Amino acid sequence: YLASVIVVFSQSSEQRIYDTERAFEGLVAEKGIRAGFLGYLSPDAVMFFPEVANARETWTKRPISPAALTWNPILIFASSNDVLAYSIGNSVYRPKGKNDPTGFAGHYLSVWVRQANGEYRAVFDTGINHDAPASVTTEWSVPKGSAVEKNERRLSGADSATPFFVKAESDGAVKAYRAYLAEDAILMRDGSMPLKGRSAAIDHLKKGKTFIKFAKRKSFVEAADLAYHCSGYTEIDTNGKEVERGNYAQVWRLRSEKWQIVADIFVPLAAAKPRAQAAPLPEH
């Protein structure tokens, strides 16, 4: 018995989250999407439905669906104190079940919080859809340069992120992202494969030719060297006309005493979905 306990607690937090993801997917396969999410969401979890809402309350109201959802985490990172973590992966949603030939490919972003019993539960989850890729990555990894940064100076992620939003408002999103995106950041936009790396992300943003207005953030959750938050956004064209509205989430990480964006996802209201799920929501 003691040996088994030692094995469990000697695992890295990233490995434990990977195992949790696998168990999560197993429950979805066995009992359905609604039961799966209810089994692995934290009490205060939020999702885009399409607006930000308590995930457990919303999933409880959803009807049972025959749809199938499969996924594979490809990137996992946990904070140095093991309290907060995020994962990114690919997914396939089949509306009529596992044998449905119609599958919607996508990628998802999840944020995990360690519970009092040591287990991890999702406190945030959303996804994007895109065309099916030529190949799908099945291996997972921890981001490179993942040296432990305990943030002994207690540098605030929330305070450090404020200049990003100020700069986006005054100088535009491209300049703001250029100043705060990590070199290995992942930018996720509905309809496109994730953009990996700061250079690819900036090139994509330059092509947008819209002004992004970020809504005032309502919360900023952080633990040691990792943080996340979500809120709303609008995109405005050069004539001042709104062309898109939706919600976004960002994951920030402390590296060499500098907070940077390592994951950034935008989900338009018309496309809002958990883990690339396209099923309609029930009426509230």
Side-chain angles (χ1 to χ4, degrees), residues 49-50 57-58 60-63 279-284:
F49 288 108
E57 291 178 1
T58 305
T60 299
K61 298 175 183 176
R62 291 180 71 99
L281 287 162
E283 293 296 325
H284 286 260

Side-chain angles (χ1 to χ4, degrees), residues 10 37 42 62 67 88 122 126 149 186 208 223 229 238 251 279-280:
S10 66
F37 273 87
S42 69
R62 291 180 71 99
I88 292 174
T126 197
E149 188 142 3
I186 295 179
H229 77 109
T238 54
V251 177

Side-chain angles (χ1 to χ4, degrees), residues 220-277:
F220 200 97
V221 180
E222 56 185 284
D225 55 343
L226 197 65
Y228 95 96
H229 77 109
C230 60
S231 190
Y233 73 90
T234 55
E235 289 193 39
I236 302 169
D237 65 16
T238 54
N239 295 317
K241 181 181 178 181
E242 181 182 306
V243 295
E244 184 175 293
R245 179 184 293 268
N247 289 295
Y248 75 94
Q250 291 178 333
V251 177
W252 289 70
R253 183 179 163 197
L254 184 67
R255 277 175 167 160
S256 301
E257 299 192 337
K258 180 181 179 181
W259 283 94
Q260 297 178 309
I261 300 168
V262 292
D264 182 277
I265 184 169
F266 274 38
V267 184
L269 290 182
K273 59 190 74 70
R275 295 205 177 204
Q277 183 185 346

Side-chain angles (χ1 to χ4, degrees), residues 23-41 47 49 55-56 58-60 62-71 91-98 125 273-281:
F24 183 2
E25 187 188 38
L27 184 58
V28 166
E30 179 185 358
K31 296 188 176 181
I33 294 175
R34 184 181 70 174
F37 273 87
L38 288 173
Y40 283 89
L41 289 169
M47 287 182 170
F49 288 108
R56 292 191 65 84
T58 305
W59 273 105
T60 299
R62 291 180 71 99
I64 295 175
S65 168
L69 181 64
T70 57
W71 66 88
S91 63
V92 177
Y93 171 75
R94 299 185 185 280
K96 298 180 181 180
K98 64 180 182 180
D125 186 281
K273 59 190 74 70
R275 295 205 177 204
Q277 183 185 346
L281 287 162

Side-chain angles (χ1 to χ4, degrees), residues 8-276:
V8 169
F9 285 94
S10 66
Q11 287 182 330
S12 69
S13 292
E14 287 85 2
Q15 179 65 55
R16 287 158 63 191
I17 290 168
Y18 176 81
D19 293 342
T20 300
E21 289 255 30
R22 295 273 62 88
F24 183 2
E25 187 188 38
L27 184 58
V28 166
E30 179 185 358
K31 296 188 176 181
I33 294 175
R34 184 181 70 174
F37 273 87
L38 288 173
Y40 283 89
L41 289 169
S42 69
D44 56 347
V46 296
M47 287 182 170
F48 302 154
F49 288 108
E51 295 291 359
V52 180
N54 180 280
R56 292 191 65 84
E57 291 178 1
T58 305
W59 273 105
T60 299
K61 298 175 183 176
R62 291 180 71 99
I64 295 175
S65 168
L69 181 64
T70 57
W71 66 88
N72 185 77
I74 58 176
L75 187 74
I76 304 172
F77 179 77
S79 60
S80 59
N81 61 3
D82 300 319
V83 170
L84 196 65
Y86 75 98
S87 61
I88 292 174
N90 47 59
S91 63
V92 177
Y93 171 75
R94 299 185 185 280
K96 298 180 181 180
K98 64 180 182 180
N99 296 320
D100 188 348
T102 301
F104 295 89
H107 276 76
Y108 68 88
L109 167 68
S110 294
V111 179
W112 302 85
V113 170
R114 189 181 65 192
Q115 306 300 295
N117 62 3
E119 295 181 351
Y120 284 93
R121 291 295 180 264
V123 71
F124 174 80
D125 186 281
T126 197
I128 58 169
N129 279 141
H130 50 67
D131 291 339
S135 61
V136 176
T137 302
T138 58
E139 301 296 323
W140 71 279
S141 64
V142 178
K144 294 180 180 179
S146 296
V148 173
E149 188 142 3
K150 296 183 177 180
N151 195 7
E152 294 177 350
R153 291 180 58 194
R154 297 187 178 182
L155 300 171
S156 169
D159 290 347
S160 299
T162 296
F164 166 82
F165 298 103
V166 173
K167 195 171 187 65
E169 186 75 24
S170 61
D171 300 336
V174 172
K175 290 184 178 180
Y177 277 107
R178 184 181 286 123
Y180 287 91
L181 270 181
E183 285 296 330
D184 58 349
I186 295 179
L187 196 77
M188 302 167 73
R189 297 293 185 267
D190 201 65
S192 303
M193 288 288 290
L195 294 142
K196 299 180 180 180
R198 181 173 176 271
S199 178
I202 295 299
D203 287 344
H204 174 81
L205 291 166
K206 285 180 179 178
K207 295 175 184 177
K209 300 185 184 303
T210 57
F211 178 80
I212 301 175
K213 184 175 180 61
F214 294 94
K216 185 177 181 181
R217 67 188 191 220
K218 297 179 180 178
S219 65
F220 200 97
V221 180
E222 56 185 284
D225 55 343
L226 197 65
Y228 95 96
H229 77 109
C230 60
S231 190
Y233 73 90
T234 55
E235 289 193 39
I236 302 169
D237 65 16
T238 54
N239 295 317
K241 181 181 178 181
E242 181 182 306
V243 295
E244 184 175 293
R245 179 184 293 268
N247 289 295
Y248 75 94
Q250 291 178 333
V251 177
W252 289 70
R253 183 179 163 197
L254 184 67
R255 277 175 167 160
S256 301
E257 299 192 337
K258 180 181 179 181
W259 283 94
Q260 297 178 309
I261 300 168
V262 292
D264 182 277
I265 184 169
F266 274 38
V267 184
L269 290 182
K273 59 190 74 70
R275 295 205 177 204

